[in-house]
Amino acid sequence: MADCMQEWPEAVVRVQALAESGLSVIPRCYVKPPCDRPVVVAPVPAAVQAQLEKEQPSDIISIPVVDLGELLLAEDGGAVGVGGGLGDDVTEAVAAACREWGFFQVVNHGVRPELMRAAREAWRGFFRRPLAEKQSYANSPRTYEGYGSRLGVQKGAVLDWGDYFFLHLAPEAAKSTAKFWPANPSNCKEVSEEYGREVVRLCELLMRVLSVSLGLDEAHFQRAFGGAECGATLRANYYPRCPQPDLTLGLSAHSDPGALTVLLADEHVRGLQVRRGDGEWVTVQPVRDAFIVNVGDQVQILSNSVYKSVEHRVVVNAEEERISLALFYNPKGDVPIAPAPELVTAGNLPALYPPMTFDEYRLYVRNKGARGKAQIEALKGQASPEN
Ligand code: OGA
Ligand code: NI
């Protein structure tokens, strides 16, 4: 398999370059089949944004907002851990959000708003560099590190209307080396690494909250995912303007393969949609200075499907480009992940997933691209009875 993944199956076209060429009809390879096309929400001029936020059309939703302020204060004071009294409200709010949505926003999360803005602006700066400069970071399907414009190596696949930059931040041994990092803006590496460290700390805290919310000891998730050796990757997404946004998607429907995703969304332009339990796609309205958090497939596996990863996708629009930073917190690559025995109990039998390492799991996505929840659904039921 490794051999067929050395190169992309077709010449890579940068969506940004296409968009900037001023075309009015998008190439056929970006046109989704009718069932996958979005119902486009008209872009909102800044002047009416505030009013709209008050009125909130029904398809624009503020997913649950969890305030971590008290929990962090308690942590700093060293007095009360996640499992203590002060953490109960937070734990319950996270548990409810995970059961109902699989998605929530966090505020007072401990990451400085200036650092969030600096990271986003650094990546905006990168995507504004000349095409030839960006091309020098062109990625390959072997590691995905660098400047990319597709996910998956299936020849003839329908492509998404977006470019990205992908990097490994942790663990130490897997970190992307200096050559993969943009030289411009000159602070890009430094700011992104600091941002990554802070967001990873937030992920570690959320791992403890998730463990406690499922009745496990607070270190359970982190331990199962490889302890201090957990992985973190960064994907800076760039969605250019699109002349026919009703025919395509910035990112096809998918669930995130890892443990937890912390998304810093564009502060002005909406685009992320989440598939609700009733099958409807709803557009997320980010709260100011918040992160959007969602659980990934590995949490679904470890929790034996008590918490489910949720499908999401990105719609684009004709008026404005959009940028987002996704930090993926992943298990260490070579640790087999399977449902926690404590959660395979009378009310939740049998164990639904066979043990699999994240390195194995990720290959599916890297070959096939975003395919909704097809991968995790296919795994279901393959667990042998003794699991
Ligand atoms: C992702 C993702 C959403 C967005 O990168 O996996 O879901 O809003 N991004 O860019
Ligand atoms: Ni995602």
Side-chain angles (χ1 to χ4, degrees), residues 33-45:
C35 59
D36 291 343
R37 291 180 197 168
V39 180
V40 169
V41 183
V44 189

Side-chain angles (χ1 to χ4, degrees), residues 15-209:
V15 180
Q16 184 177 8
L18 261 183
E20 289 173 2
S21 74
L23 80 183
S24 57
V25 175
I26 64 174
R28 230 192 7 216
C29 59
Y30 297 96
V31 177
K32 304 290 176 188
C35 59
D36 291 343
R37 291 180 197 168
V39 180
V40 169
V41 183
V44 189
V48 294
Q49 170 93 19
Q51 189 57 30
L52 246 181
E53 275 170 24
K54 272 186 222 148
E55 292 169 8
Q56 294 253 331
S58 62
D59 63 340
I60 299 177
I61 304 272
S62 175
I63 51 176
V65 177
V66 179
D67 186 337
L68 298 178
E70 259 185 85
L71 191 59
L72 284 171
L73 261 180
E75 292 265 304
D76 286 347
V80 189
V82 172
L86 267 184
D88 284 356
D89 290 350
V90 173
T91 306
E92 270 164 37
V94 167
C98 287
R99 280 174 205 272
E100 254 168 67
W101 284 93
F103 262 84
F104 53 98
Q105 309 196 46
V106 289
V107 293
N108 293 318
H109 41 62
V111 183
R112 284 173 290 121
E114 312 85 78
L115 182 58
M116 297 164 71
R117 266 189 285 281
R120 188 168 44 208
E121 291 318 306
W123 285 102
R124 204 188 296 281
F126 170 77
F127 287 108
R128 288 197 175 139
R129 303 297 301 176
L131 181 63
E133 183 180 327
K134 288 183 296 223
Q135 291 289 29
S136 67
Y137 304 99
N139 73 351
S140 88
R142 206 165 48 78
T143 72
Y144 274 83
E145 289 163 291
Y147 183 44
S149 297
R150 69 182 289 162
L151 202 65
V153 291
Q154 306 281 302
K155 203 171 160 91
V158 181
L159 303 177
D160 290 338
W161 194 262
D163 302 321
Y164 62 85
F165 204 102
F166 180 77
L167 289 157
H168 286 272
L169 302 176
E172 198 60 38
K175 269 168 91 166
S176 296
T177 51
K179 69 169 185 194
F180 287 112
W181 284 86
N184 290 305
S186 58
N187 67 350
C188 185
K189 180 166 187 283
E190 191 188 330
V191 167
S192 304
E193 286 184 332
E194 185 183 355
Y195 175 83
R197 280 192 298 273
E198 301 252 323
V199 177
V200 163
R201 277 183 54 196
L202 171 60
C203 290
E204 289 165 354
L205 178 67
L206 290 169
M207 283 288 116
R208 291 161 58 197
V209 175

Side-chain angles (χ1 to χ4, degrees), residues 103 235 237 251-252 254-257 261 263 272 294 310 312-314 326 328:
F103 262 84
R235 183 175 148 122
N237 294 298
L251 191 51
S252 294
H254 66 284
S255 58
D256 293 337
T261 303
L263 184 83
L272 174 64
N294 64 281
V310 170
H312 53 286
R313 68 182 187 183
V314 175
F328 304 108

Side-chain angles (χ1 to χ4, degrees), residues 321-338:
E321 61 185 29
R322 177 172 179 273
I323 199 156
S324 71
L325 299 188
L327 186 135
F328 304 108
Y329 189 71
N330 298 326
K332 181 170 186 279
D334 59 1
V335 181
I337 312 289

